[in-house]
Amino acid sequence: MKILFTGANGFLGKNVIPLLRKKFFDVKTFGTHDADYIYNIADEIPMFKEKFEIIFHAAGKAHSIPQNKDEEKKFFDINFEGTKNLCRSLEKNVPNIFIFISTVAVYGKDFGERIHEDFPLEGSTPYAKSKILAENFLQEWCNAHHVKLFVFRPSLIAGPNPPGNLGDMINAIKKNKYFNIAGGKAKKSIFWVEDFAELTFLALKNKGGIYNVCDDMNPDFNEISRKISCLLHKKNPKSIPFVIAKGLAICGDLIGKSAPINSLKLKKITSNLTFSNVKVKHDLGFSASNVMEKFKI
């Protein structure tokens, strides 16, 4: 089957496309450079001369904190308007399946346990809001055009050379500048990037839906940092006592945005944030990889 994979040069594309091709999918790539189709979907409607059975829409803006209104707007231009432009380009040759990579950020939770798909979407960041708008648009568009829609909301994604917070942790450990707080006992849901290939295969024989995707283990910061340290041949990170971290956070509250830590950040770091994967396991028969076993850098 022919797949159009958007965001082909990103973290997901680099790790998932080779596996899809091994599963005998015919993958056409889409990106802003070095791709079969080169477009900026935030600004233009692509032109396709072929029909795709599956759209894997991973293109999007993430992993940055906007500093002004223009930077906030980019999230909506790429994640929402770009999704609409992509769909407009597909209306002459409608796909059978549309896979959209969303995020657990749509729930707007900084802490909580076993958060499931029926939780309200209270995400307030430009990233979360733009993904919520894209999800809502896709549900309407796919319903109108009789396309099976799979919305996957991944947690923290692990894999070789990951972006975002996990990449920051790896870089800090490389430089011996990473410390756990209060033993690093806060649990976080995590997902192995290569499992997106298996989810794509499972989408062929299922009816669609909205799904959290994460593994079953929910490792804590201590487990994750020790694993990374082992792979880097570094000593296990030291831990800062909570009382010291609390004092630094209070100082950060007084300093303002420029402070490396404040009370809210401390709460996030020391609280569990886990998501339920019961629905995707039940509906799709999906078995997630154990990230701590597969972890590599």
Side-chain angles (χ1 to χ4, degrees):
M1 299 185 74
K2 190 175 291 184
I3 297 179
L4 178 70
F5 197 111
T6 76
N9 298 301
F11 176 56
L12 266 66
K14 291 176 181 177
N15 287 281
V16 178
I17 289 173
L19 297 177
L20 292 175
R21 286 175 171 155
K22 284 183 179 179
K23 289 179 177 287
F24 305 106
F25 288 107
D26 178 9
V27 182
K28 297 293 184 179
T29 57
F30 182 110
T32 56
H33 62 281
D34 298 328
D36 296 314
Y37 291 95
I38 299 175
Y39 287 97
N40 182 348
I41 55 173
D43 301 324
E44 53 190 330
I45 298 174
M47 299 292 291
F48 301 120
K49 297 179 180 179
E50 55 191 319
K51 175 180 171 61
F52 306 101
E53 282 79 22
I54 302 173
I55 306 299
F56 192 111
H57 186 29
K61 181 172 176 58
H63 309 303
S64 66
I65 299 174
Q67 301 300 315
N68 52 54
K69 293 294 183 182
D70 287 340
E71 291 183 8
E72 288 184 9
K73 184 175 180 293
K74 287 181 181 178
F75 282 92
F76 295 93
D77 289 344
I78 297 170
N79 297 341
F80 178 44
E81 298 297 337
T83 297
K84 292 199 294 184
N85 285 340
L86 174 63
C87 288
R88 290 190 185 104
S89 72
L90 298 169
E91 290 182 349
K92 291 184 178 180
N93 287 299
V94 177
N96 301 326
I97 297 170
F98 197 112
I99 295 171
F100 178 58
I101 305 304
S102 187
T103 171
V104 293
V106 296
Y107 300 112
K109 300 294 184 183
D110 293 324
F111 37 84
E113 297 186 48
R114 308 297 292 173
I115 295 164
H116 55 76
E117 292 85 351
D118 291 332
F119 271 57
L121 305 187
E122 298 176 337
S124 59
T125 64
Y127 176 49
K129 287 181 176 179
S130 63
K131 287 289 190 177
I132 292 170
L133 287 172
E135 283 191 17
N136 291 338
F137 169 79
L138 283 170
Q139 289 180 71
E140 294 180 4
W141 187 87
C142 288
N143 183 59
H145 293 85
H146 309 290
V147 177
K148 286 197 301 182
L149 173 64
F150 292 83
V151 174
F152 293 133
R153 295 172 178 166
S155 59
L156 183 68
I157 305 176
N161 301 311
N165 292 335
L166 193 55
D168 292 342
M169 179 188 284
I170 292 170
N171 290 330
I173 291 173
K174 284 180 180 178
K175 299 174 183 177
N176 299 312
K177 293 183 178 180
Y178 178 81
F179 299 91
N180 282 312
I181 294 178
K185 297 178 181 178
K187 293 182 175 294
K188 304 294 177 180
S189 289
I190 195 165
F191 185 69
W192 186 243
V193 64
E194 294 179 349
D195 280 0
F196 280 117
E198 179 63 20
L199 285 169
T200 303
F201 182 75
L202 292 172
L204 298 177
K205 49 188 176 182
N206 286 282
K207 63 181 181 179
I210 297 174
Y211 300 101
N212 293 340
V213 289
C214 56
D215 80 355
D216 300 311
M217 306 309 293
N218 298 321
D220 60 33
F221 278 123
N222 182 50
E223 292 175 274
I224 298 169
S225 61
R226 286 170 69 93
K227 180 70 174 183
I228 294 169
S229 298
C230 178
L231 292 172
L232 293 173
H233 306 291
K234 296 282 189 178
K235 292 182 179 179
N236 292 329
K238 295 180 180 179
S239 178
I240 298 175
F242 182 81
V243 65
I244 294 176
K246 181 64 175 177
L248 293 171
I250 292 172
C251 291
D253 293 339
L254 297 173
I255 294 171
K257 291 182 179 181
S258 62
I261 190 169
N262 55 35
S263 294
L264 178 58
K265 290 180 182 178
L266 180 62
K267 177 69 173 176
K268 292 180 183 180
I269 293 170
T270 56
S271 299
N272 293 339
L273 180 60
T274 65
F275 298 86
S276 171
N277 65 1
V278 170
K279 185 180 177 184
V280 71
K281 290 165 66 176
H282 176 269
D283 289 4
L284 304 190
F286 174 64
S287 180
S289 296
N290 182 326
V291 175
M292 289 294 97
E293 289 181 356
K294 285 202 168 185
F295 206 108
K296 55 188 175 184
I297 296 175

